[in-house]
Amino acid sequence: MEFTHYSVLPAETIEQLQVKPDGIYADGTLGGGGHAFLVCSLLTTGHLYGIDQDEAAIAAAGERLAPFGDRVTILRNNFCNMRAALGEQGVERVDGILLDLGVSSYQLDTGERGFSYRYDAPLDMRMDRRQTRMARDIINNCSEGELYRIIRDYGEERFAKNIAKHIVMRRAEKPIETTFELNDVIKGAIPAKMRQNGHPSKQTFQAIRIECNRELEVLRDSLEDLVALLNPGGRLCVITFHSLEDRIVKTAFRSFENPCVCPPDFPVCVCGRVSRGTVVTRKAILPSGEELAANNRSKSAKLRVFEKRMD
């Protein structure tokens, strides 16, 4: 199967990155190399570092970006390790960083990876197949309470409690091993009249994937380091697809801009915390109607941008 090169919010992201021909840029979620290709197209003496934890993405992006030769360095890693990974390459600062979060179209469309409820496959869902914990481990080993929390919080699923209950009941008979087995459990846990709007498994699969890959934890723990990596005036562009992701980014960016923790009635700041820069996007940038018509997977995308202050 060919890796899709379609990128969400491509023009908007490149515009916000403000790519300089001689700049150093990092794409922390390389995927198929779509955004990276656009960045590289604007470089002359600059360099792009592409990071991804998925070996399939590494292979596909390498092929996609091959025409740019030594202007590109691809590293297999998680973006939470970007600072250390770039440090090993002798890079202490970059002019811009891009994150395009969530699951890629390739991962969804490669049935055997277990990300999609549309293909019958083992419950895997690992973005980095070097890790041992899989989706089936979560489904079969987590307590009913843990499953309820995961599905409720990460999937925002209104029937989370009943789905968790049904999973525990089914796995008592035999382990739940495949996507279609899990589909069957979810379908049985949701009233028939409530299954009209989209696939009933969508939110639960999203929740299990987020838990399996520690996606929100990784994001929350990475943003401060990523801003520290930027040169003065450099920008961090983050595309989210989930309300919890967006909230993490929005909250972090605001705290970077205004870190003061002094009581509001203090006449002057005494905490000594200094602003790291400016939130460029007071409101998230959303896909255009044209993009939504061309790619329905872009419908929940939001782009937020932070610019590091000039020293």
Side-chain angles (χ1 to χ4, degrees):
M1 180 177 295
E2 193 170 325
F3 207 124
T4 177
H5 302 315
Y6 186 86
S7 301
V8 173
L9 291 161
E12 295 87 346
T13 302
I14 299 305
E15 178 184 357
Q16 291 300 324
L17 266 179
Q18 297 185 334
V19 178
K20 300 182 294 186
D22 60 348
I24 307 297
Y25 295 89
D27 184 340
T29 49
L30 189 58
H35 286 112
F37 187 93
L38 296 175
V39 173
C40 290
S41 299
L42 298 173
L43 299 178
T44 52
T45 58
H47 200 89
L48 176 100
Y49 291 88
I51 297 173
D52 207 289
Q53 58 187 330
D54 190 324
E55 77 277 15
I58 294 290
E63 183 178 337
R64 172 70 165 160
L65 301 175
F68 300 106
D70 59 8
R71 270 181 278 167
V72 180
T73 300
I74 298 177
L75 307 170
R76 187 177 181 191
N77 214 319
N78 190 303
F79 66 77
C80 67
N81 303 316
M82 184 184 292
R83 199 172 183 180
L86 293 186
E88 290 173 0
Q89 301 292 315
V91 178
E92 299 299 325
R93 293 287 184 271
V94 298
D95 296 299
I97 299 171
L98 162 69
L99 298 181
D100 180 359
L101 301 174
V103 66
S104 72
S105 293
Y106 174 80
Q107 289 165 334
L108 283 172
D109 294 336
T110 306
E112 63 266 24
R113 298 292 296 273
F115 286 103
S116 176
Y117 43 77
R118 300 189 186 280
Y119 305 99
D120 193 15
L123 278 167
D124 190 332
M125 298 194 192
R126 293 171 299 167
M127 292 180 175
D128 186 342
R129 290 197 276 193
R130 295 173 296 187
Q131 77 177 46
T132 56
R133 190 186 190 211
M134 302 184 190
R136 69 166 176 259
D137 299 316
I138 297 166
I139 292 295
N140 290 294
N141 298 335
C142 285
S143 69
E144 184 174 334
E146 288 172 319
L147 288 170
Y148 167 53
R149 176 193 60 79
I150 291 166
I151 298 168
R152 178 198 64 194
D153 293 351
Y154 298 165
E156 298 175 306
E157 169 59 70
R158 63 183 293 195
F159 296 104
K161 197 172 190 66
N162 209 34
I163 291 170
K165 178 183 176 182
H166 276 67
I167 287 172
V168 172
M169 289 168 54
R170 177 69 66 87
R171 77 188 192 194
E173 302 168 9
K174 65 175 285 296
I176 301 168
E177 299 283 356
T178 71
T179 53
F180 278 15
E181 287 175 0
L182 182 56
N183 278 348
D184 189 55
V185 176
I186 295 167
K187 184 178 178 182
I190 298 177
K193 64 181 180 180
M194 305 304 297
R195 295 189 226 128
Q196 308 305 315
N197 299 322
H199 199 287
S201 294
K202 181 177 181 180
Q203 288 159 277
T204 298
F205 269 62
Q206 171 184 275
I208 300 301
R209 187 205 82 221
I210 289 173
E211 171 69 16
C212 182
N213 296 286
R214 300 173 46 252
E215 292 175 39
L216 300 182
E217 181 182 342
V218 166
L219 176 63
R220 190 179 293 112
D221 294 345
S222 300
L223 292 171
E224 193 165 348
D225 257 4
L226 297 180
V227 169
L229 260 174
L230 292 171
N231 278 319
R235 289 188 168 192
L236 170 59
C237 298
V238 184
I239 301 171
T240 64
F241 293 85
H242 185 284
S243 61
L244 293 180
E245 289 175 340
D246 183 58
R247 198 173 308 146
I248 289 169
V249 174
K250 182 179 180 181
T251 301
F253 282 6
R254 282 180 173 175
S255 71
F256 296 156
E257 181 179 64
N258 183 21
C260 178
V261 292
C262 295
D265 57 344
F266 273 33
V268 294
C269 173
V270 295
C271 71
R273 298 192 178 191
V274 178
S275 173
R276 301 183 193 189
T278 305
V279 178
V280 177
T281 47
R282 293 300 161 186
K283 290 186 177 180
I285 297 172
L286 306 178
S288 65
E290 183 180 0
E291 179 172 0
L292 289 169
N295 178 19
N296 66 347
R297 286 178 179 167
S298 69
K299 66 182 177 182
S300 56
K302 293 182 177 181
L303 170 63
R304 294 191 184 273
V305 184
F306 184 83
E307 181 175 297
K308 192 169 183 179
R309 71 183 180 92
M310 302 297 290
D311 289 339

